[in-house]
Amino acid sequence: MNSVGEACTDMKREYDQCFNRWFAEKFLKGDGSGDPCTDLFKRYQQCVQKAIKEKEIPIEGLDFMGHGKEKPENSS
């Protein structure tokens, strides 16, 4: 799946590969220490935020999950 911003698609694929490798090879085997993909995620997130702004996609009122955000208590 491509990213919202064309310029972000390669970053998305790189992050997806990193995360999937970490998830399968570490997390599912009980090693939940650290996420080696955090820097990739942050770069990709910045790219997406820029693309959203450039395309003037309305996001007011939307709550996004991501690194550093906790799931609200009242959500399922």
Side-chain angles (χ1 to χ4, degrees):
M1 174 189 255
N2 289 339
S3 180
V4 68
E6 242 181 82
C8 307
T9 297
D10 286 342
M11 278 186 245
K12 179 187 183 310
R13 289 189 182 130
E14 188 178 357
Y15 170 72
D16 286 347
Q17 288 175 349
C18 180
F19 178 83
N20 289 335
R21 188 178 321 110
W22 169 79
F23 189 76
E25 296 174 6
K26 301 286 184 177
F27 186 80
L28 289 179
K29 295 179 180 177
D31 182 3
S33 62
D35 177 356
C37 309
T38 300
D39 288 339
L40 290 172
F41 176 80
K42 287 178 183 177
R43 285 198 333 254
Y44 172 59
Q45 183 181 45
Q46 289 171 347
C47 186
V48 167
Q49 288 170 344
K50 181 180 176 190
I52 287 172
K53 189 174 184 176
E54 288 173 353
K55 292 181 179 203
E56 299 179 357
I57 298 171
I59 59 169
E60 292 81 25
L62 295 179
D63 226 359
F64 290 97
M65 299 258 324
H67 291 289
K69 292 215 171 188
E70 294 183 22
K71 187 174 180 180
E73 289 181 29
N74 61 354
S75 62
S76 316

